[in-house]
Amino acid sequence: MKPINIIIFGRQGSGKGTQSLLITKEFGPVHISTGDMLRAAVEKGTEFGLQAKAIMDRGELVSDEVISGIVAERLSQSDVIQNGCLLDGVPRTLGQVESIMEVSEKLDFSIDLVLNLEVPIDEVTSRMLSRGRADDTEEAIARRLGLYEQETAPLFEFFSKKGVFEIVDGLGSETEVFDRLSVVITRVLSDKKQ
Ligand code: ADP
């Protein structure tokens, strides 16, 4: 299979994590989730992990410098070069977009597709409230969604201009949503020269 490099956007509670795993299984790109990477560092209890934990607990963003460093390192590893990547949870800021574009130029690959798994705010809020996690209070949810609108949604324009941005309806069953994503990914793969 041709390697494909994808960025997936979606609000918290959009089902992005579940769909990312399905995409990885079906199309082969390596799942790169900065949230997972940061949580792994927290688990290890390193100095860096402790710093990250404090930031994550406050619902703030880890600095661009740190994120850009860990992502650049991961993107340059051979499994990613061979199989492509599915970036999940990154980029979240314009600084991170710039850094990913720089790395892709240096390593000579392109971002083939940017997916936006669209689920309206009302729907993700009720999904998150019903899963009943301790950190899912209505106030915390609103704060995280607000940050997403403020920091991340403005990045869509950058990728629209590049002609790689695709909005996919995230309402419906897991399979229905995955089928929609698959149609788009398959089309981009067949257009990809290599
Ligand atoms: P969520 O979808 O719950 O925000 P993630 O698992 O993507 O979850 O991230 C959890 C936390 O890790 C974020 O709230 C943030 O503090 C930090 N984080 C993850 N990715 C990034 C990133 N690209 N830039 C800055 N901080 C990040």
Side-chain angles (χ1 to χ4, degrees), residues 9-132:
F9 287 114
R11 296 189 173 92
Q12 275 205 311
S14 62
K16 178 166 61 80
T18 308
Q19 296 298 333
S20 291
L21 296 181
L22 295 172
I23 292 171
T24 294
K25 231 163 114 190
E26 180 74 19
F27 297 98
V30 178
H31 187 208
I32 301 179
S33 155
T34 42
D36 287 352
M37 290 165 96
L38 292 170
R39 279 184 290 273
V42 171
E43 282 284 296
K44 274 198 195 148
T46 57
E47 176 67 30
F48 166 64
L50 289 176
Q51 286 170 11
K53 183 176 186 323
I55 294 168
M56 291 159 78
D57 285 349
R58 289 198 300 269
E60 290 168 8
L61 292 180
V62 173
S63 76
D64 281 356
E65 201 186 341
V66 165
I67 296 290
S68 297
I70 60 177
V71 172
E73 189 187 337
R74 189 69 187 94
L75 287 174
S76 65
Q77 286 163 356
S78 61
D79 59 331
V80 178
I81 290 174
Q82 242 167 45
N83 302 299
C85 64
L86 175 63
L87 292 170
D88 170 5
V90 70
R92 263 181 160 86
T93 65
L94 210 51
Q96 293 175 17
V97 170
E98 281 163 6
S99 131
I100 289 167
M101 297 322 278
E102 258 171 45
V103 174
S104 71
E105 245 169 66
K106 211 166 84 192
L107 297 174
D108 196 27
F109 72 86
S110 56
I111 298 296
D112 303 301
L113 174 62
V114 177
L115 293 164
N116 182 20
L117 191 58
E118 175 54 33
V119 179
I121 291 181
D122 288 358
E123 171 68 18
V124 292
T125 302
S126 68
R127 284 187 192 178
M128 281 190 272
L129 285 174
S130 68
R131 74 187 178 190

Side-chain angles (χ1 to χ4, degrees), residues 181-194:
L181 290 165
S182 296
V183 169
V184 178
I185 296 170
T186 303
R187 194 197 66 226
V188 170
L189 265 174
S190 72
D191 290 349
K192 189 171 172 167
K193 293 187 238 59
Q194 180 162 297

